[in-house]
Amino acid sequence: MPETIAIGDPADPRIAVFRDIRDRDLTGRGGFIAEGTVVLDQLLASRQFRPTALLVLRNRLAGLSALLLRLPPGVPVHVAEREVLDQIAGFAMHRGVLAHGEEEGVRPSPTELIASAVTRSRPLVVAVGIANHDNIGAIFRNAAAFGAGAVLLDATSCDPLYRKALRVSVGTVLTIPWSRVGAGTDLVNLCRDAGYRTIALSPAGGTTLREIGYDGPMALFLGAEGRGLSPELMQTMETVRIEMEPEIDSLNVATAAAIVLSNLYANRPR
């Protein structure tokens, strides 16, 4: 097991990247915070991101031995008691495991991600204007569970590396390929140029999920809760609805994505 560094002072400069992590804006510190052992496991498995430091509750240390053995050389493991750890984080840290991570190398371009997905006949998940971190995290988790080739986000969607989005995604933000592109129309064009059918979910969709057919790879476009995708954007795509009880007009966006992706997964060529 790597050597540990005892932290007894919440103001210790060695753990500055972990201080007050509830704040959304960590820009000045760089990187991101991965919270919990499940997310840490995904960080250690990632090809695009790497840990730079850990902060662990002392009584969790023994149970983390297998994970800690996978750490790259030179990554410091800081250890603190409950009171100190909570003061550092700025709230009660029930999971007791924090990792600071950063991106390494050059991320593939959106065009490269799409080309890789289409060669493997994998669907794409496209988020437009989704600013809710819980929804973004759940969308990534669903995309990973049902074999999506990549997740693409427009510039107005929230950062998937925000701590809460990472946690809800169970760390899949760190292992599934993803990229940002400026606007929804740009994303439609990129997907179409690669041979993808572009599908927009809408309660008023012209086709039901049962009738959609599965000829060719599909790019599933998702909009924000409430307003959804803009009418102008939906006019450029196939619109699909999920059949449900008439008194309920819509589903949570991540739930709707899971239903469609599950259908695509069950019907894709093996």
Side-chain angles (χ1 to χ4, degrees), residues 4-5 11 86 93-94 112 131 141 143 154 164 185 187 206 211 216 246 252-253 258 260 265 267:
T4 60
I5 303 166
D86 290 350
M93 267 297 307
H94 301 296
E112 290 170 329
R141 185 174 184 175
D154 77 331
K164 192 174 184 183
T185 52
L187 289 163
E211 301 166 334
N252 167 269
V253 62
V260 176
Y265 184 79
N267 288 280

Side-chain angles (χ1 to χ4, degrees), residues 205-219:
T207 305
T208 67
L209 187 55
R210 287 188 301 167
E211 301 166 334
I212 191 174
Y214 297 92
D215 52 331
M218 298 187 198

